[in-house]
Amino acid sequence: MSKDVIFADNGRLNKVSSILVSQPEPENRQSPYFGLSEKYNLKIDFRKFIQIDPVDVKEFRKQKINILDHTAVIFTSRNAVDHFFRLATESKVEIPTDMKYFCVSEQTANYLQKYIVIRKRKIFTGERTAADLIEIIKKHKDEKYIFPCSDIRKDEIPNFLSENEFTFSEAVIYKTVASDLSDLADVNYDVIAFFSPSGISSLFANFPDFEQNNTRIAAFGPTTAKAVKDAGLILDVQAPLPNAPSMTGALELYIKKANGLD
């Protein structure tokens, strides 16, 4: 992989004046998106392309999964944490103090303090990715895992558990659905930034006849980039890369090139 982001001069390096970020607006005004907007005089809007719908207790029970049959929980997101403890409360299940928690990142592990006293629990934390967490799980094969997740989730962890004959249950506790974006039908942006394949699915769920034309597409992560290409779209900006570990970093490099500021 090249150390630098190289944007091919393919006739699409046109000036960028507006960007739509397919995520909620940051609450922190120190977000680099706001800095990017001010520095390059850009219009940057934020809009959730997907929303989370909870699975209710009745639907959860149809999966015939008993939380108390398990000794460890695998968390890969804060949404999973929220909905796991919501369902436990609604089901009147008290999570035992000796339950172990395997979290994909320190951020997710810290989020557990919203529901439990962290210092009194056994918590195992990965660096950032599913692959990191799998390395930790490998050392705890005797646990009975529950993997709370969305109906749309990545395959790495459940595939690993299944292929290596771990005892585990996959519990769908919330659903990822397309947001209503109908009010954007006549609004055009120079760049749309995506962060998950679900965002691409939402785009076409709302606008089945979407034509990219001169709209540049930015994607964060390899699975999102693949979804862009699989949808027949042109991928113009990709992150992370060595000199652009964030979406804002990649966008800034592209803007400099496209706006003749390089």
Side-chain angles (χ1 to χ4, degrees):
M1 181 183 292
S2 170
K3 292 183 178 180
D4 297 315
V5 177
I6 300 173
F7 304 108
D9 188 3
N10 58 2
R12 296 179 56 78
L13 278 169
N14 299 312
K15 184 177 180 180
V16 175
S17 299
S18 61
I19 300 173
L20 178 61
V21 179
S22 61
Q23 288 187 328
E25 182 170 345
E27 296 180 4
N28 184 357
R29 296 303 298 180
Q30 300 302 313
S31 166
Y33 284 107
F34 298 121
L36 199 65
S37 175
E38 293 174 7
K39 185 175 181 179
Y40 297 101
N41 191 29
L42 303 171
K43 170 184 169 62
I44 299 183
D45 291 335
F46 300 87
R47 185 64 177 274
K48 289 190 344 183
F49 272 45
I50 58 175
Q51 66 185 47
I52 302 300
D53 284 355
V55 166
D56 62 27
V57 173
K58 184 177 180 180
E59 189 175 355
F60 174 66
R61 284 175 177 158
K62 290 179 181 178
Q63 299 178 51
K64 297 182 179 179
I65 295 173
N66 183 358
I67 293 174
L68 297 181
D69 286 343
H70 303 84
T71 61
V73 190
I74 299 172
F75 287 126
T76 57
S77 72
R78 289 189 293 182
N79 280 325
V81 174
D82 283 334
H83 288 283
F84 175 79
F85 285 100
R86 171 189 60 79
L87 273 173
T89 299
E90 292 175 359
S91 303
K92 298 181 180 179
V93 171
E94 185 174 345
I95 306 299
T97 56
D98 60 352
M99 181 73 82
K100 299 180 180 67
Y101 300 92
F102 291 77
C103 301
V104 73
S105 67
E106 186 174 345
Q107 183 183 36
T108 304
N110 289 338
Y111 191 69
L112 281 173
Q113 65 188 342
K114 182 177 177 181
Y115 299 98
I116 62 174
V117 180
I118 289 180
R119 62 184 174 81
K120 294 184 178 181
R121 301 294 192 273
K122 291 186 177 180
I123 300 173
F124 304 87
T125 308
E127 292 293 328
R128 184 172 61 89
T129 68
D132 298 330
L133 186 55
I134 284 171
E135 290 304 311
I136 297 172
I137 292 172
K138 284 179 180 178
K139 302 173 184 176
H140 300 269
K141 189 163 186 178
D142 293 335
E143 302 296 340
K144 297 176 181 178
Y145 293 96
I146 183 170
F147 177 49
C149 59
S150 168
D151 59 327
I152 300 174
R153 50 84 172 140
K154 295 181 179 179
D155 297 333
E156 295 101 316
I157 289 175
N159 283 359
F160 167 79
L161 295 172
S162 179
E163 290 167 4
N164 291 277
E165 299 182 343
F166 278 69
T167 301
F168 81 103
S169 303
E170 180 177 327
V172 175
I173 59 172
Y174 61 98
K175 295 181 179 180
T176 305
V177 300
S179 298
D180 181 1
L181 307 174
S182 56
D183 57 303
L184 296 177
D186 298 317
V187 182
N188 295 310
Y189 290 89
D190 296 323
V191 177
I192 305 177
F194 291 95
F195 299 83
S196 71
S198 298
I200 303 297
S201 299
S202 177
L203 174 69
F204 284 98
N206 279 276
F207 311 111
D209 300 321
F210 174 79
E211 293 183 7
Q212 185 173 0
N213 298 321
N214 192 44
T215 300
R216 269 61 54 82
I217 300 293
F220 189 89
T223 57
T224 310
K226 182 178 184 299
V228 170
K229 295 172 183 176
D230 288 348
L233 301 173
I234 299 170
L235 179 60
D236 298 284
V237 184
Q238 185 172 356
L241 287 176
N243 68 330
S246 66
M247 176 60 85
T248 50
L251 287 171
E252 182 167 17
L253 289 173
Y254 184 85
I255 290 162
K256 285 181 179 179
K257 188 77 173 177
N259 292 13
L261 304 173
D262 199 349

